[in-house]
Amino acid sequence: IHVDRGAECGCGKPDCKLGCDCDRFMEVWNLVFTQFDKDEDGNYKEFSYVINDGSSTFFHSGDMSLYDGLVDAVGKVDVALLCINGRDEYRTSLDIIGNIDCREAVLLAKELKAKLVVPMHHDLYAVNCESPERFVNLMNTLSPRQSFHLFRPGEKFIFSK
């Protein structure tokens, strides 16, 4: 994902676009992140993190479930990257931690006041998948004004506030 930081961060050239050498466009995968939900020994039970570049805030839910204090720890985000493949007894028996499900993702995005939601991990493995259509249906029912984007494999996306 690339973030358009705005014309004021760019070179001012009329043909400034993704790939320009100026500072307008930034790839978010190269940033430092903060993790949440440590246990009493300081180990992370689940893996989620916030990325903040100073102008935009991204939350990547990673392998996690909902827990008290999550929304407060994360804060307000611009983009919520939410794994929607859920969890169940069968996956747990296979040592797959699982994630939030579609309904939990929609409700979490609403609580986080995310400007954009990106559902993820819905089709990684046959044993650990979820229907993206279910996510879309729940989003349209429970939070119809929420913006979201379903990526196609290899698709590039520019987030602009």
Side-chain angles (χ1 to χ4, degrees):
I1 295 175
H2 292 84
V3 176
D4 181 350
R5 298 175 65 199
E8 65 276 4
C9 294
C11 59
K13 296 177 186 171
D15 63 341
C16 181
K17 61 183 177 189
L18 187 62
C20 186
D21 288 332
C22 70
D23 292 329
R24 179 172 178 172
F25 299 94
M26 179 181 69
E27 188 174 4
V28 299
W29 303 117
N30 293 330
L31 301 176
V32 177
F33 53 84
T34 304
Q35 291 179 297
F36 299 103
D37 202 24
K38 285 184 185 177
D39 66 16
E40 56 279 349
D41 296 323
N43 299 309
Y44 291 101
K45 297 184 279 185
E46 300 176 344
F47 188 75
S48 57
Y49 51 93
V50 170
I51 303 167
N52 187 321
D53 72 351
S55 66
S56 298
T57 303
F58 297 77
F59 172 62
H60 187 293
S61 68
D63 291 332
M64 62 157 281
S65 57
L66 300 180
Y67 55 88
D68 289 338
L70 173 65
V71 173
D72 291 335
V74 172
K76 189 175 176 186
V77 299
D78 296 304
V79 179
L81 305 156
L82 303 178
C83 300
I84 63 167
N85 56 308
R87 63 205 170 280
D88 57 32
E89 193 172 316
Y90 176 69
R91 285 181 266 199
T92 302
S93 73
L94 296 174
D95 220 15
I96 298 171
I97 188 172
N99 296 296
I100 56 178
D101 61 25
C102 292
R103 188 175 201 289
E104 291 170 324
V106 169
L107 297 174
L108 177 59
K110 195 172 187 176
E111 283 191 69
L112 292 172
K113 297 178 176 57
K115 293 181 180 163
L116 177 70
V117 178
V118 177
M120 305 183 309
H121 290 200
H122 46 78
D123 62 355
L124 286 178
Y125 308 102
V127 70
N128 194 23
C129 62
E130 176 60 81
S131 165
E133 291 82 13
R134 183 167 183 263
F135 170 82
V136 171
N137 290 338
L138 283 166
M139 184 64 79
N140 289 333
T141 301
L142 300 175
S143 193
R145 294 180 183 209
Q146 175 67 61
S147 295
F148 63 91
H149 185 79
L150 286 170
F151 278 92
R152 292 182 312 271
E155 178 183 359
K156 292 188 182 209
F157 185 85
I158 298 173
F159 173 72
S160 182
K161 282 185 165 181

